[in-house]
């Protein structure tokens, strides 16, 4: 996994990718999601986690947006079966925005890296501080 600071939290990039035109979580990714669930529950209790879904550029913008959201929703369901609180998980679909390998689609090299999910963890402490600051202004 790769972890990057992102605004009020951190972005976690696990190797969770999808087949072309498919939103189903692969059996080979279930162990990584299990581990992510364990770490999030242990080290980030009360944190809001946003799952950002992405697609490769094949297909229309509307289709890719729906597909990327379906990918994020399926990962959310998978994480909730592994003990994560579904009410603390948000999902977003970004279609083919933010491509890892620009233009790669279908079975082209690197296209699977465009068909992914990314996790953004917003710490409970940061949310509380933001809320307090906003309420006092």
């Amino acid at each position: 996994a790769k972890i990057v600071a992102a605004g009020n939290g951190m972005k976690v990039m696990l190797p969770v990718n999808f087949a072309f035109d498919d939103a189903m979580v692969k059996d080979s990714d279930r162990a990584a999601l299990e581990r992510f669930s364990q770490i999030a529950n242990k080290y980030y209790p009360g944190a809001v986690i946003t799952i950002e879904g992405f697609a490769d550029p094949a297909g229309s913008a509307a289709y890719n947006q729906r597909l990327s959201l379906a990918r994020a929703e399926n990962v959310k369901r998978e994480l909730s079966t592994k003990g994560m609180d579904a009410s603390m998980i948000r999902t977003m679909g970004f279609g083919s925005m933010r491509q890892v390998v620009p233009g790669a689609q279908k079975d082209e090299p690197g296209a699977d890296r465009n068909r992914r999910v990314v996790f953004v963890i917003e710490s409970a402490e940061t949310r509380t501080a933001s809320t307090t600051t906003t309420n006092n202004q």
Side-chain angles (χ1 to χ4, degrees), residues 15-85:
V16 178
N17 300 95
F18 296 84
F20 176 70
D21 198 28
D22 192 2
M24 299 307 297
V25 174
K26 296 177 187 174
D27 287 338
S28 59
D29 290 327
R30 294 186 197 285
L33 292 173
E34 173 75 34
R35 184 71 179 130
F36 176 80
S37 173
Q38 291 169 351
I39 291 169
N41 283 332
K42 181 175 181 177
Y43 295 105
Y44 303 101
V48 171
I49 297 175
T50 301
I51 303 170
E52 299 177 347
F54 297 91
D56 71 28
S60 71
Y63 177 80
N64 285 340
Q65 195 285 324
R66 287 190 306 272
L67 179 60
S68 63
L69 181 59
R71 288 173 173 160
E73 289 288 336
N74 284 340
V75 170
K76 176 182 178 175
R77 275 191 285 285
E78 183 71 24
L79 290 174
S80 69
T81 68
K82 298 186 179 321
M84 291 189 71
D85 181 353

Side-chain angles (χ1 to χ4, degrees), residues 3 20 32 55 83 92 109 113 129:
I3 300 173
F20 176 70
M92 299 179 75
R113 295 177 58 206

